[in-house]
Amino acid sequence: MDFAPYQDTDPQSTRALSPPPQRSTSRSPNPKSPLPNRGTTDPFLASSLPAPSHFSHEPREESISFGNTDLEGGRSNINLFDTSLPLRLDHEAMIAYLLLPPAGGVFLLLVEHKSDYVRFHAWQSSLVFTAMFIIHLIFSWSSVLSWILFVFDLGLIAFLTFHAYQDANNLDRIELPFFGGLASSFVDAE
């Protein structure tokens, strides 16, 4: 159908017409009259339509098991489908701190889009260890201060990695001063 303002043919002549309304011989039921008894069977039970879960596009937990057979106990209740990567939530949060900080955090910020818990740890890792890298550059003239900062970095990585793993059961966040609040505000704004 052409809706141009200047047409050489009438658009009404080429339009598909609606079918005529159906006229039934029965009248509409009187609202005050009792309804006819059609039996006590539920019409939805007798239908041959599939269950609503048939149309769901979400994967079923019983068909995919990336970590359901965990021997650590108590951690099998983590929903594996809250993350974009095929890894457990606690493992992804640990990667934010273990994979060459701040590179692990930046990597997770690029690939993880579903889990706010993982994104929080990725933001916090990126912010904290970028600041630590700048501090390392500033104090690189002193080997003693560089070694002290390096040991502090290793301790901070171990502490944050442990809490990212441990707190994944109840999605608690360990927030460092200033950087944790900033990471939370970034995640909340997304």
Side-chain angles (χ1 to χ4, degrees):
M1 184 180 250
D2 189 15
F3 292 106
Y6 303 108
Q7 299 176 6
D8 53 347
T9 61
D10 183 24
Q12 297 294 332
S13 64
T14 60
R15 186 179 73 172
L17 299 176
S18 299
Q22 295 180 349
R23 307 256 182 194
S24 66
T25 57
S26 66
R27 296 183 330 151
S28 297
N30 185 358
K32 294 183 181 179
S33 66
L35 294 173
N37 188 4
R38 295 188 179 167
T40 59
T41 61
D42 188 7
F44 297 107
L45 293 177
S47 70
S48 62
L49 293 176
S53 62
H54 173 74
F55 299 104
S56 174
H57 297 292
E58 296 177 7
R60 295 188 177 123
E61 290 183 13
E62 64 267 9
S63 63
I64 299 174
S65 60
F66 285 109
N68 290 341
T69 58
D70 191 9
L71 300 177
E72 295 172 349
R75 300 193 64 84
S76 62
N77 59 352
I78 295 175
N79 188 357
L80 302 176
F81 304 108
D82 284 342
T83 61
S84 298
L85 298 175
L87 296 172
R88 290 184 1 194
L89 181 74
D90 50 356
H91 291 174
E92 279 191 34
M94 287 174 32
I95 286 174
Y97 300 110
L98 290 177
L99 187 66
L100 298 173
V106 172
F107 168 74
L108 284 175
L109 285 173
L110 293 174
V111 298
E112 178 60 52
H113 301 288
K114 293 181 182 178
S115 174
D116 285 346
Y117 182 76
V118 173
R119 290 189 63 81
F120 164 78
H121 286 289
W123 273 113
Q124 182 167 272
S125 170
S126 299
L127 294 170
V128 167
F129 291 107
T130 299
M132 289 302 293
F133 179 73
I134 293 170
I135 291 172
H136 276 280
L137 288 178
I138 292 172
F139 292 109
S140 63
W141 54 270
S142 171
S143 64
V144 173
L145 285 177
S146 293
W147 278 106
I148 291 172
L149 284 174
F150 179 69
V151 170
F152 178 74
D153 283 345
L154 291 179
L156 188 61
I157 289 171
F159 175 76
L160 291 173
T161 302
F162 173 74
H163 278 285
Y165 178 77
Q166 192 70 26
D167 297 340
N169 280 338
N170 51 8
L171 298 178
D172 282 342
R173 297 176 179 175
I174 183 84
E175 291 187 4
L176 294 177
F178 180 71
F179 296 108
L182 194 59
S184 280
S185 67
F186 286 159
V187 170
D188 293 340
E190 292 177 344

